[in-house]
Amino acid sequence: MSLEQNLQYTKEHEWVKYDEKTQIATIGITDYAQQSLGDVVFVELPKIGTKTTANQVIGSVESVKTVSDIYAPLSGEVVEINTSLDSKPELINTAVYEAGWMCKIKIANTNELVGLLSYEAYQKSIL
């Protein structure tokens, strides 16, 4: 299992890469989550323009084992989705921190960033 030190994480096993300049957060699920799910066969993503509220369901990931909800780690508006996942959902398994990202959210409240887990805190939570 791999983790990226330059990302932040949620207790629901999403990762967040925040760009201060644009105030856009790229969201995906962690390597831990994709390993738990198994082979991903379908991803339901939010629509561009969807308003998000932190900790509310914005989509789902379906694997050969189960269906798991995707939670918005931050409040804001979806400004981009990874359309590659429509035809290649397995990117979540093979490139979880690169091509397997799910959506980008223009965040509404930077104070919510403090509620995310650091690399170290997330690592402790899954061990």
Side-chain angles (χ1 to χ4, degrees), residues 5 14 31 33-34 40 45 47 51 54-55 60 69 73 86 92 94-95 99-101 104 112 115 118 126:
Q5 291 190 16
E14 283 96 18
D31 192 40
Q34 72 82 18
V40 175
L45 298 173
K47 294 188 183 328
K51 302 289 187 205
N55 303 312
S60 63
D69 288 332
D86 291 341
I92 290 174
T94 60
W101 64 276
K104 295 184 180 190
E112 290 179 350
S118 67
I126 59 174

Side-chain angles (χ1 to χ4, degrees), residues 16-103:
V16 176
K17 183 175 185 179
Y18 178 64
D19 183 330
E20 285 185 41
K21 187 184 289 185
T22 62
Q23 293 190 320
I24 292 176
T26 303
I27 314 300
I29 65 168
T30 65
D31 192 40
Y32 176 85
Q34 72 82 18
Q35 284 183 16
S36 298
L37 287 168
D39 293 338
V40 175
V41 295
F42 179 76
V43 182
E44 178 186 53
L45 298 173
K47 294 188 183 328
I48 292 174
T50 299
K51 302 289 187 205
T52 64
T53 302
N55 303 312
Q56 288 195 333
V57 175
I58 58 169
S60 63
V61 177
E62 183 178 335
S63 72
V64 293
K65 293 181 184 178
T66 188
V67 176
S68 185
D69 288 332
I70 303 166
Y71 295 89
L74 302 160
S75 300
E77 181 179 343
V78 176
V79 294
E80 189 177 345
I81 59 170
N82 186 351
T83 56
S84 296
L85 297 178
D86 291 341
S87 60
K88 295 182 180 181
E90 67 274 8
L91 288 172
I92 290 174
N93 298 114
T94 60
V96 70
Y97 298 114
E98 297 88 24
W101 64 276
M102 296 181 173
C103 67

